[in-house]
Amino acid sequence: MLQALILSLAASGPTCAAAFEALRTDGAVEAAYVAHVAFVRADPGDGQARWFLVDTGANRSALDAGVVRTLGLPDEGGTTVEGTAGVVEVSSTTVPRFTLGPVTTRLSPTVSDLSGLAGPEGAPVAGILGSDLFGQAVLTFDFERGRLALAPAGEASATAATCGRSASMRDDNGIPRVTGELDGRPVELRYDSGAGLFDDPHLWINLSQPQHAATLDGRDPGEPLEVLGGSGTGGSVRLPVYAAARFRMGGIEWAEPRLIVQPPQGYFARPEAVGFIGNAAFRPFGMVVIDYPGGRLTAPPAD
């Protein structure tokens, strides 16, 4: 009887600890985290590994124009990219064989001058990896071990979503979108792993101006705590910062979050625009799982 019970439990799937271990191990590559943003080394087709920024806030990957010239890739016409600070004209190309760890695929990135991006220890960045590369997989940011893992959905991701601290996630034009609660009011946010942030004990949340106004419910926001300078696709912005009481999502509560209010530029000029959080929110928990097929964003359970 006991043996049958043990076999039944073993057949039922991985334990919670084993599930999270599998997610941070299977398909893992070394990653460097700079301002909480993940950089990985990938091969765009010539056998030379280069640094790429991993950005869940991008629905299409991008390749630096200089790298495109070095690889002799074709110019396949122009398009536009909309970012937090504006809209820019870019070109596009095709990489026949792009390899990141165990994954090799055909990639069709945009092409622009990314020479202003700096990777680990100031190294040049060859490109930005978006959801066209990993949007059908389970993406794990392993801050604690300095890794990033990309694997198919399976028992491990299903178990983690059940036993971990998990929030429902849906697709917003190729970008993960979640619902949290800010000072008692629901708030829609994208998950943007490409949003860098300095070390700080507070959670930082970017909001659109209408979202911030909704949290105030007619109250005067008062003077901002500070005004930050920021940059993104399309230019630079000035960002006032305010304080809130609490933010909840996926069974986790953050006290006294800081609210960065975006001006109506670029994507945030849209009336339907929503704010975002990034990797810094989950760095204290060691890892976060972005399960695209399962529609879940999951952190490990509380100790």
Side-chain angles (χ1 to χ4, degrees):
M1 180 69 178
L2 178 60
Q3 184 178 11
L5 177 60
I6 292 172
L7 290 173
S8 175
L9 289 172
S12 67
T15 65
C16 192
F20 278 97
E21 182 64 24
L23 289 170
R24 69 196 313 175
T25 303
D26 296 347
V29 297
E30 296 298 315
Y33 287 89
V34 180
H36 306 290
V37 175
F39 291 85
V40 294
R41 295 180 69 83
D43 173 12
D46 63 348
Q48 180 178 339
R50 296 173 170 86
W51 285 112
F52 285 80
L53 184 156
V54 181
D55 188 2
T56 61
N59 57 17
R60 187 175 178 184
S61 298
L63 199 57
D64 177 63
V67 174
V68 169
R69 288 192 295 270
T70 298
L71 297 176
L73 296 174
D75 183 341
E76 297 180 346
T79 185
T80 59
V81 173
E82 182 182 54
T84 57
V87 179
V88 295
E89 298 285 337
V90 297
S91 59
S92 58
T93 192
T94 295
V95 180
R97 187 177 176 84
F98 185 91
T99 301
L100 171 62
V103 176
T104 297
T105 188
R106 183 182 180 90
L107 201 62
S108 298
T110 62
V111 179
S112 58
D113 179 8
L114 301 179
S115 60
L117 282 178
E121 299 181 350
V125 176
I128 298 170
L129 303 181
S131 63
D132 52 340
L133 177 65
F134 44 72
Q136 301 300 316
V138 179
L139 177 66
T140 300
F141 293 98
D142 187 348
F143 313 114
E144 188 174 46
R145 298 182 186 175
R147 294 177 181 171
L148 178 137
L150 190 62
E155 284 190 356
S157 55
T159 299
T162 301
C163 70
R165 290 173 286 185
S166 186
S168 177
M169 185 183 86
R170 58 198 176 281
D171 178 83
D172 180 1
N173 192 29
I175 298 171
R177 182 164 168 166
V178 295
T179 302
E181 182 185 287
L182 181 61
D183 288 353
R185 291 177 173 272
V187 61
E188 298 282 317
L189 299 170
R190 287 175 160 187
Y191 191 84
D192 184 353
S193 68
L197 187 68
F198 46 80
D199 286 325
D200 190 86
H202 296 99
L203 170 69
W204 290 69
I205 304 171
N206 287 64
L207 296 177
S208 69
Q209 287 185 348
Q211 285 182 307
H212 184 230
T215 67
L216 295 171
D217 195 22
R219 292 178 285 111
D220 184 345
E223 290 297 315
L225 299 176
E226 58 183 308
V227 178
L228 304 176
S231 62
T233 298
S236 59
V237 290
R238 286 176 55 80
L239 305 167
V241 178
Y242 298 90
R246 65 182 55 84
F247 176 73
R248 295 189 181 98
M249 186 180 71
I252 302 173
E253 179 173 314
W254 292 264
E256 299 181 345
R258 298 299 187 247
L259 310 178
I260 302 174
V261 182
Q262 297 279 160
Q265 293 176 230
Y267 164 74
F268 283 99
R270 295 187 179 198
E272 72 274 17
V274 299
F276 59 87
I277 55 174
N279 285 345
F282 292 93
R283 176 64 183 86
F285 310 112
M287 63 184 290
V288 65
V289 180
I290 314 299
D291 182 354
Y292 285 90
R296 308 294 298 181
L297 183 151
T298 305
D303 294 334

